[in-house]
Amino acid sequence: MRLLLFSSPAGRIFFISLYRFSLRIAGFILMLFVTSLGLLAITFLVSRMSPVDPVLVLVGDNVTGEVYRRAYYELGLDKSLLTQFSLYCLKILRGDFGISILTGHPVIDDLRRVFPATIELATLGILIGVLVGVPLGVLAALRENSPFDQGVRFFCLFGYSLPIFWLGPIALSVFYADLGWVSGPGRIDVVYYGTVPSVTGFILFDSALASRWDVFRDGLRHLILPGFFLGYFSFAYISRMTRFLILRELSRGYVLTARIRGFSDFRIIRYHVFRNALPFLVPVIALSYAHLLEGAVITETVFAWPGLGQYMSHALRNADMNAVLGGVIVVGLVFICLNLFSDFLKKLLNSHLH
Amino acid sequence: MNLVAFFAFLVFLFPPFSFLFPVIPALSGTPRDTLIQAWALDDVLSLDPADIFEVSASEIAGNSYERLLGYDLDDVSKIFGVVAKSWRVSRDGRTIFFKIRKGKRFASGRPLTVADVVFSLHRVIFLEKTPSFIISQFGINKDNVKQAIRQTGNDEFAFTMDRPHALSLVLSCLTATVSSVVDRKLVLSHESDGDYGNGWLRTHYAGSGPFLIRDWSPNEAIFLERNEFYGGQKPWLSRMIYRHIPEQGIRRLLLEKGDVDFARFLGADMLSILEKREDISLLSVPKGMLYYLAFNQKSKPLSHSAVREALKYLVDYQALVDVFSGGRGQVRQFFLPGGLLGSRDETPYHSDVERARSLLAKAGYPDGFSLSMDVRNIMPFTGIAEALQQSFAKGGIRLTLNQIDHRHLLTRYRRREHAIVLAYWGLHYQDPHSNAHAFAFNPDNSKDTRFKTLAWRNSWVAADLTALVKEAALESDIAERSLLYRELQEEVRRRGPYIFLYQEDETVAMRLNIKGLRLGPSFDSNSFRTIVKE
């Protein structure tokens, strides 16, 4: 039976496919491992070059020499950089990201708390970016150099150039303080803290799971303004890229052929141009999303959003290296996974195209 | 045309969330039994009183833990018992016996006993965290603490020092956060690897104060609730919430909107706007914090006494208070803030460019010199630094500003890498020894000294003043002690590597319906127990 499985053509094809698939998986894991290791090594080195003394954060400013020295040894700072890095990697492999000096919590718990906040914000941002940016980009390409195109260009540059630390407070004072359309800074009103059990860490999901629609609405009202700002910045980029890709496709010969054959504009754009541009647009969107997931430090600071950006920048300023490295691992993994996912999507779309 | 309509539909469907807004009603105002404050809470590193040394956490501990002793907010020399009922001093002056009040309970419901007090002080010494020096400066260390602080009766314990220190100094130290009493059984039940429960207490609560700490969500909020087991007059408020709002402009906005009751740490410009509003009131109280400049004595021109004297005549002191504190502060030219034993109110220095120039010429620098100044990269530090840069330029001194983050500045300061530093210093407890020790005590200027005081960080050695600091700490006669601190301040003013600029008030902006807030001279004495919302 086993012999038959190997000797039959169908069996051989099955095993060859399985072998190729295993190779791909192994290659993927190897790439994930090497990239993560490189990322960790660079962050570790940069963090050790920080001018801030991490012992100072741990023991404070007013301790005796003995206490200082003990903390110095406890942090392992007396060991060589290579030993420190190896020890850290071993801990990571065991799933131990260490304790954050600043919060006193295990870094993994902190990340579980702050990363969902950033995901919520980034997801709304990218949704706005795609739903507004792609159509605007297509329309701008179709009306190249028209007043509409110029208007979109101005609107995008406006969004890209205005600093959030200026625009954010103004938007808050208009939409929150004056008009009352949205809620103020923070992720949720303080009166709702602790009213829904944290299952996923996402306020919207957790409140929906608990059927607390008042909390859901409040979470949404807090999310809208910072999400809109992130969306504005990402749609500016996405719409410009969409315009470029569509224009490139429109200049190709097949569009002219289609027009000569009498196809409608809608059919040409919908079934040919957009489809051909899509495989190139997917990585643009994926990378925009990954950038948003890094955490937008200034947006999070202005809107008092307890996300990854604020967490990591605070940790970096205070030489809380466990927190910084933990955050870097998360960001790195997100980048790698989104990149791979967009590659996969691109291939899928290309094969459909074929 | 169809295509355009389709995309136009997509584009215009999404952005106007506005159609959504009016149907979602907003909550406005704060609940009547809850006080909500907005300030930047990113300095909270721990909630363990043996560990707390930062402003925000000190205030929270001051309202949630009971300390051994307390002081009158209007006269800090009047010390009274909180957990302690009374005290007596042994004949040799080395031991103080404290009697503990009966009937107090922790938030857990357990009675507060003398064993809890002794344990709380022991763990301060064993943990050796930053504020432990407040207790260990009396010669108490890991080896002798069990003997030095010991239970001597059902409701009494002894506190024995290496030498008979001034009673007012010892008692002042025991009003600090570090003397907070923790629930021994609760803390020990969470002990891990001999850490005296520090790992757990950093993020939890085990006290007996008017409020209990319910939850701390770092960089988000801290929640306090009324402690129903509190022995004194219970707070009117059921809850108190500190919200982390890093941007001061947003804190102001929240207050104006009524979504917080207090906005803390607002700049002078914000306060002057809020002052004009009818629905907001301001409360200002002097805090024991000083802005000062320090000169590293390893830096050549700064080690010359005439140069230091010249620089003191190049500062417009009152202008700094008026511009950067909106007039909410007082010029201080000595190392003690006002209201403390021996503090001096004189202001011998004023801006006098001619005099400064002649002093510089006398020192051999008629054309001035160039130097760098380390300064924190936030207001009002950057503003003060730029003002000083302009003032010093009048004397030909070219300052380069090195604007850096707080921890970076501290690292450089502790490593003595600065030339000039613009910094901020606060009392650790309400006794003149706290600042005298910091600014004048430097028995060993070597790299590995035990005492990295401000005098050491600036490589300033004055053996006679170091001896005077010790003498004043041991002096039992109050009047004599006061004279010693006056003398010490005068010497530091004359010879020291510092320019004391001003003492700043703390100003709280609050909604008009808030009454009964009591602000003390330190953050751990700000009291919210008496607050009522009308």
Side-chain angles (χ1 to χ4, degrees), chain B residues 135-356:
Chain B
I135 306 292
S136 67
Q137 65 180 326
F138 299 111
I140 299 170
N141 54 44
K142 276 182 174 181
D143 299 328
N144 65 16
V145 64
K146 293 220 162 163
Q147 193 52 37
I149 302 171
R150 64 195 184 281
Q151 188 170 345
T152 48
N154 279 341
D155 58 349
E156 188 188 71
F157 78 97
F159 184 92
T160 305
M161 300 165 280
D162 55 348
R163 276 173 295 173
H165 285 78
L167 185 62
S168 53
L169 166 62
V170 188
L171 296 182
S172 283
C173 288
L174 292 174
T175 65
T177 304
V178 83
S179 77
S180 301
V181 182
V182 302
D183 185 336
R184 183 173 62 104
K185 285 188 177 156
L186 182 60
V187 169
L188 281 178
S189 69
H190 293 95
E191 189 180 32
S192 154
D193 296 332
D195 72 344
Y196 288 86
N198 173 252
W200 177 79
L201 201 55
R202 281 189 72 182
T203 54
H204 292 83
Y205 172 72
S208 61
F211 292 94
L212 59 90
I213 304 169
R214 173 63 65 203
D215 192 18
W216 168 32
S217 182
N219 286 346
E220 208 169 348
I222 298 178
F223 300 85
L224 287 89
E225 278 177 20
R226 182 167 52 216
N227 174 11
E228 299 299 345
F229 285 103
Y230 176 58
Q233 188 199 341
K234 289 189 179 56
W236 183 89
L237 295 165
S238 305
R239 270 179 300 278
M240 196 160 69
I241 300 169
Y242 286 84
R243 284 188 68 184
H244 172 60
I245 308 289
E247 281 292 306
Q248 54 165 324
I250 309 298
R251 294 202 285 272
R252 184 192 122 196
L253 204 63
L254 282 164
L255 180 72
E256 287 175 338
K257 177 86 172 151
D259 282 349
V260 297
D261 299 298
F262 287 178
R264 312 283 298 271
F265 293 99
L266 298 179
D269 50 339
M270 304 263 172
L271 291 173
S272 60
I273 296 168
L274 289 175
E275 204 170 24
K276 293 175 190 131
R277 286 184 63 118
E278 287 181 354
D279 53 349
I280 285 164
S281 65
L282 303 182
L283 179 65
S284 291
V285 168
K287 280 278 185 285
M289 314 285 259
L290 294 170
Y291 284 96
Y292 73 98
L293 283 181
F295 308 129
N296 192 339
Q297 295 305 285
K298 285 194 293 183
S299 184
K300 188 78 174 90
L302 297 172
S303 59
H304 201 299
S305 62
V307 169
R308 297 199 300 269
E309 187 77 355
L311 292 174
K312 290 172 189 174
Y313 281 108
L314 284 173
V315 179
D316 188 346
Y317 297 87
Q318 192 56 49
L320 293 180
V321 179
D322 292 342
V323 175
F324 299 107
S325 282
R328 295 178 185 85
Q330 302 83 40
V331 172
R332 286 267 155 215
Q333 295 181 349
F334 296 90
F335 68 66
L336 285 183
L340 231 61
L341 180 74
S343 62
R344 308 180 68 129
D345 297 331
E346 307 99 285
T347 51
Y349 296 109
H350 55 274
S351 178
D352 186 344
V353 178
E354 285 312 309
R355 193 165 176 179

Side-chain angles (χ1 to χ4, degrees), chain A residues 270-282:
Chain A
R270 168 74 184 81
Y271 293 103
H272 300 282
V273 173
F274 195 69
R275 249 188 196 190
N276 281 335
L278 203 55
F280 300 98
L281 196 59
V282 166

Side-chain angles (χ1 to χ4, degrees), chain A residues 51-53 56-70 99-105 110 113 124 127-128 131-132 134-136 138-139 142-143 169 172-173 175-178 180-193 217-218 220-222 224 228 265-266 269-270 300-302 304 306 310-311 314 317-318, chain B residues 1-4 6-8 10-12 14-15 17-18 20-27 31 36 42-46 51 53 126-133 142 199 202-203 216-221 223 241 243-247 250 253-255 257-259 377 405 407-408 410-412 414-415 425 428 448-452 454 457:
Chain A
V52 180
D53 183 355
L56 202 64
V57 187
L58 189 66
V59 298
D61 191 24
N62 219 324
V63 289
T64 60
E66 301 98 79
V67 177
Y68 181 92
R69 269 191 294 280
R70 197 175 321 126
I99 305 275
S100 160
I101 298 174
L102 293 172
T103 66
H105 290 92
D110 281 345
R113 182 170 52 79
L124 181 61
L127 271 175
I128 296 174
L131 289 176
V132 182
V134 173
L136 270 185
V138 173
L139 283 176
L142 289 177
R143 304 274 180 272
L172 269 174
S173 63
F175 295 108
Y176 156 66
D178 293 342
W181 286 359
V182 295
S183 291
R187 214 175 156 197
I188 195 168
D189 274 341
V190 278
V191 289
Y192 290 124
Y193 272 111
R217 275 200 305 272
D218 186 68
L220 194 64
R221 284 176 59 90
H222 278 84
I224 283 170
F228 176 77
D265 269 4
F266 182 83
I269 300 292
R270 168 74 184 81
E300 287 181 3
T301 305
V302 169
Q310 218 190 116
Y311 177 73
H314 184 47
R317 282 204 309 276
N318 289 285
Chain B
M1 203 54 216
N2 280 345
L3 185 74
V4 175
F6 170 71
F7 282 124
L10 269 185
V11 170
F12 293 104
F14 202 69
F17 285 109
S18 46
L20 245 176
F21 297 143
V23 297
I24 307 175
L27 283 176
I36 304 180
D42 50 8
D43 70 331
V44 181
L45 303 178
S46 169
D51 214 352
F53 209 55
F126 282 122
L127 288 171
E128 286 188 311
K129 298 290 181 185
T130 312
S132 65
F133 74 93
K142 276 182 174 181
R202 281 189 72 182
T203 54
W216 168 32
S217 182
N219 286 346
E220 208 169 348
F223 300 85
I241 300 169
R243 284 188 68 184
H244 172 60
I245 308 289
E247 281 292 306
I250 309 298
L253 204 63
L254 282 164
L255 180 72
K257 177 86 172 151
D259 282 349
N377 53 2
D405 206 70
R407 302 275 183 200
H408 188 185
L410 280 182
T411 305
R412 280 175 57 80
R414 271 186 76 99
R415 289 179 182 162
W425 184 261
H428 299 315
D448 295 320
T449 179
R450 276 188 67 208
F451 302 102
K452 295 193 171 176
L454 302 182
R457 289 180 208 177

Side-chain angles (χ1 to χ4, degrees), chain B residues 108-143:
Chain B
S108 62
R110 259 187 224 99
L112 188 157
T113 66
V114 69
D116 295 300
V117 182
V118 170
F119 169 76
S120 303
L121 293 170
H122 280 182
R123 69 191 292 278
V124 169
I125 295 296
F126 282 122
L127 288 171
E128 286 188 311
K129 298 290 181 185
T130 312
S132 65
F133 74 93
I134 296 174
I135 306 292
S136 67
Q137 65 180 326
F138 299 111
I140 299 170
N141 54 44
K142 276 182 174 181
D143 299 328

Side-chain angles (χ1 to χ4, degrees), chain A residues 298-312:
Chain A
I298 300 173
T299 309
E300 287 181 3
T301 305
V302 169
F303 291 96
W305 196 264
L308 189 66
Q310 218 190 116
Y311 177 73
M312 277 181 68

Side-chain angles (χ1 to χ4, degrees), chain B residues 350-387:
Chain B
H350 55 274
S351 178
D352 186 344
V353 178
E354 285 312 309
R355 193 165 176 179
R357 277 189 174 280
S358 74
L359 280 165
L360 284 169
K362 193 175 127 193
Y365 297 98
D367 301 320
F369 49 82
S370 300
L371 269 181
S372 72
M373 178 160 87
D374 287 5
V375 55
R376 280 178 72 179
N377 53 2
I378 54 164
M379 279 294 278
F381 293 96
T382 46
I384 296 173
E386 281 164 15

